[in-house]
Structure formats: structure tokens, C-alpha cells
Amino acid sequence: TNFWRLTRQALQRNRLSALCKKSVYRTAENKLNYEGFGFAITSSLKLKNMDSFLASVKDASGVAIEVGTFQGGSLKYLAERHPYRQFIGYDTFVGLMQETEKDNVHKIGHFNNTSLESVQKVLEGLPNIRLVQGVYPVCEIAPPGEIVLAHIDVDLYEATLSSLEHIAPSMVKGGRIYCDDAFVPTCFGATLAM
């Protein structure tokens, strides 16, 4: 069926992404960020898609948000390329929160190898980024109706669903929502939330 074909394609992309994980995000000097911390787990194709979209709406108003900032790699990648745009990164900075029976791999505490302080260090020198620690959408600070791009990367069913429900009405006309975990075999709950 179409679902299994898409799942196989996602698996193939993930294998390639895992092999390239440490080289996905490089600075202009072609060096890894902050001695290996702060690289983007998001695939290079997804990063390029978001980058291209932001370039195409350069004159549009609105903030770009990321729910699930982890170590800050994808946020840094985009903010460096779009210094005119405000970015808000949301994360607990202590790992994933509550999983449900719909989640197949990731559990409470996964992705806990991060902290607000370490991500602030990775993003140092980028005045167009604001980090917010907390569980989204409880900690939401973006003005309603002013989100031009939303990157949701929270891996779990409930977190993905609540993010989508809160973000969708706040999008500007022509804005985009990217769900990093859609059709990723380890994030079955996030795919269900879509």
C-alpha cells in the first residue's frame, strides 16, 4: 500500500540521514559546531526546504518557530541564513515528556543530552533567536496569527497533536508547518497526530 511505500522511503532517508548526521549542519568555515554539540538531526533535505521557503517569503511578516529545539542545530542553520527573521525555539531542554500507547519507540527522557545553557552557547551571536524553556503550548510567546513557519520536532503523539492544534490557527496566510517526524518509523505517534 501507499503507507508502507512511504514508510520504506522514510526508513531509507533515515538511514542516509543517520550516516550523515554529523555532517548535516556545517558552518561557513565547514567545521562542526561547538565541538560536535548543536548539530541538526533534521535531514538536510528538510533543512533546505525550510530555508528555501523562508527565502521565498522574505518580505512576509511573521516569526519562525521551532517546537523541539534539542541542541539548536536546525534553528542555528535557519537563523544564520535569515538574519532579518525572528526565530523562537521552544524546548523543555530536559528531554521528551509524556509518551502514550500510540508512541512506539521514544519515551520520557529521550533526547535529554541538552540544556538551555548549552544551546544558548551554540546560538551565541544570533540576536534574532529567542529560546523558551517549557512544554509547548503552555509556554507559547509568539503573537497569535503571526507565525510564518513552524518546525515541529517533538517525536511523540500528544506533543505533536497539541502543537499542531495550537499553531495552525496562528499561521499567517501562506505560512507553512513542517512536522519533522511524519512518516518516521520511530515516531509512529507523531505520524498518527498528523
Side-chain angles (χ1 to χ4, degrees), residues 92-101 103-113 135 154-159 186:
T92 63
F93 298 104
V94 296
L96 296 178
M97 301 311 274
Q98 186 170 343
E99 84 269 10
T100 70
E101 68 282 349
D103 297 300
N104 60 330
V105 174
H106 298 300
K107 305 292 180 206
I108 293 172
H110 284 191
F111 299 107
N112 65 353
N113 56 331
V135 176
V154 290
D155 300 278
L156 301 175
Y157 174 79
E158 287 293 336
T186 59

Side-chain angles (χ1 to χ4, degrees), residues 81-176:
R81 285 157 179 73
H82 304 279
Y84 56 87
R85 178 82 57 198
Q86 278 301 123
F87 290 84
I88 303 171
Y90 299 94
D91 204 294
T92 63
F93 298 104
V94 296
L96 296 178
M97 301 311 274
Q98 186 170 343
E99 84 269 10
T100 70
E101 68 282 349
K102 294 175 181 164
D103 297 300
N104 60 330
V105 174
H106 298 300
K107 305 292 180 206
I108 293 172
H110 284 191
F111 299 107
N112 65 353
N113 56 331
T114 188
S115 71
L116 179 59
E117 296 76 22
S118 57
V119 175
Q120 286 171 331
K121 187 172 182 179
V122 167
L123 302 177
E124 211 167 52
L126 290 167
N128 59 330
I129 297 177
R130 181 167 178 196
L131 294 175
V132 179
Q133 186 170 20
V135 176
Y136 190 86
V138 175
C139 62
E140 168 69 87
I141 63 165
E146 294 188 23
I147 299 173
V148 70
L149 174 116
H151 178 214
I152 302 171
D153 188 2
V154 290
D155 300 278
L156 301 175
Y157 174 79
E158 287 293 336
T160 302
L161 185 62
S162 64
S163 295
L164 287 168
E165 289 174 344
H166 188 77
I167 290 168
S170 294
M171 298 298 295
V172 299
K173 184 176 181 178
R176 286 198 187 158

Side-chain angles (χ1 to χ4, degrees), residues 9 13 16-17 20 24-25 40-53 77-78 151 176 178 180:
Q9 289 172 349
R13 282 193 304 272
L16 180 61
S17 178
C20 303
V24 166
Y25 175 64
I41 294 176
T42 300
S43 75
S44 58
L45 178 61
K46 289 177 186 174
L47 286 172
K48 288 175 185 174
N49 282 338
M50 289 185 282
D51 179 32
S52 176
F53 171 71
Y77 176 90
L78 294 170
H151 178 214
R176 286 198 187 158
Y178 288 83
D180 200 70

